[in-house]
Amino acid sequence: MGSANAADVKVNSVADAVTQGTVNANLNLRYESVDQENALKDADALTLRTRLTFATAEYYGLSALVEFEDSRSVAGVNDYNDAIGNNTDYSVIADPETTELDQAFLQYKRSGFKAKVGRQVIALDNMRFLGHVGWRQDRQTFDAVTLQYGINDFSIDYGYLYKRNRIFADIKDIDSKDHIINASYNLGLGKLSAYGYLLEEDTNIDNGIDTYGVRLAGAQNLDKIKLLYTLEYATQDADKATTSYSADYMLGEIGVGVSGLTFKVGYELLGSDNGEYGFATPLATLHAFNGWSDQFLATPKQGLADTYVSVGGSLVGGKWALVYHDFEADESSATVNDLGNEIDAVFSLPIDKHYTVGVKYAAYSAGDAGAGKVDTDKVWLWANAKF
């Protein structure tokens, strides 16, 4: 087994596909602390996630991949609520100890067509609706059948997801009957995507969430300035037991890149149906949106309007970013309107091609008392190694 280029590998049999496969390892050591203005104890966690991957070479377009993942608390730093029932008197750090099969799939590729069957990572567009939650130590994967076809500037993805392997070890995994479709075309001014995500847990109770939307994301070089822009709209209908509701989603973002810096301003709205039900994105990579303190992993019933500005750039070979969020309810009431604000900061530094270190900070300041949120500070330090 080795790391030869695909063009240099000659595969004449299934045995060759196995012996000429590749093995990779990824280790992520991370310290996280959480300080909240409530009755919970401050949380501290030092965890190590180890991921081992074996991928065969291709044989007549067929290949396979198997990947195992393990997450452990180390050095006795484990004073945290792991979100699956341990240490519930502490604040939550959603990195439970687990050893599991992260991916295991068969794949077929030919002439722009690709099919996968089995446990796999799925990430579409910016992962606002479907992603791997890669920030957490136990990332999200899906047991699924996925099909993809691409030709020139057009591509289309379809998937049937029959199990959601979430970030909480295997305790909170969900059997499902999800259908996902995403088609995109690269226009001269950006990538235009249209999608439909029809989600349903495999239970005896109605719980369908159907979302349809369109997204345009692009960039244009204007002399010494790079213009960035994103526009997105989606509508959602949900049926849950005896309750039905509808809500809308909107995103507008514009940015400029100049002199090594990137400035962005955006507005994201997760709407509400009459202040009772908020727009839901249960399969999203949620940590990447609405602030890194994770105060809005579930959309409030009043909805959420997030106005944000960011600046980022390079420093001593690494990358940094500062972000400010202002949160308001979509459907305000006498007790809930101001949902608070947040300041986020991050710096990451690669050390040759194998290692990366970083530091990250999130400070959330609560708004109206009726919103049920409290002031929260989070700090992360990490070191990652890939082989």
Side-chain angles (χ1 to χ4, degrees), residues 346-366:
V346 65
F347 175 72
S348 63
L349 178 67
I351 303 173
D352 70 46
K353 65 180 181 179
H354 294 294
Y355 307 99
T356 302
V357 295
V359 57
K360 191 172 180 178
Y361 174 68
Y364 170 79
S365 298

Side-chain angles (χ1 to χ4, degrees), residues 28 129 139-140 162 190 200 208 210 224 233 308 341 348 380:
N28 195 63
F129 293 93
R139 67 178 175 181
Q140 177 170 261
Y162 51 92
E200 184 178 4
D210 296 343
K224 296 182 180 180
Y233 171 78
Y308 59 92
N341 59 74
S348 63
W380 300 268

Side-chain angles (χ1 to χ4, degrees), residues 223-235:
D223 195 13
K224 296 182 180 180
I225 296 176
K226 187 174 186 178
L227 178 65
L228 309 165
Y229 43 85
T230 303
L231 291 171
E232 188 167 3
Y233 171 78
T235 183

Side-chain angles (χ1 to χ4, degrees), residues 80-91 96-97 171:
Y80 68 100
N81 179 347
D82 62 4
I84 62 171
N86 297 309
N87 296 335
T88 55
D89 51 338
Y90 287 87
S91 292
E97 292 190 318
I171 292 177

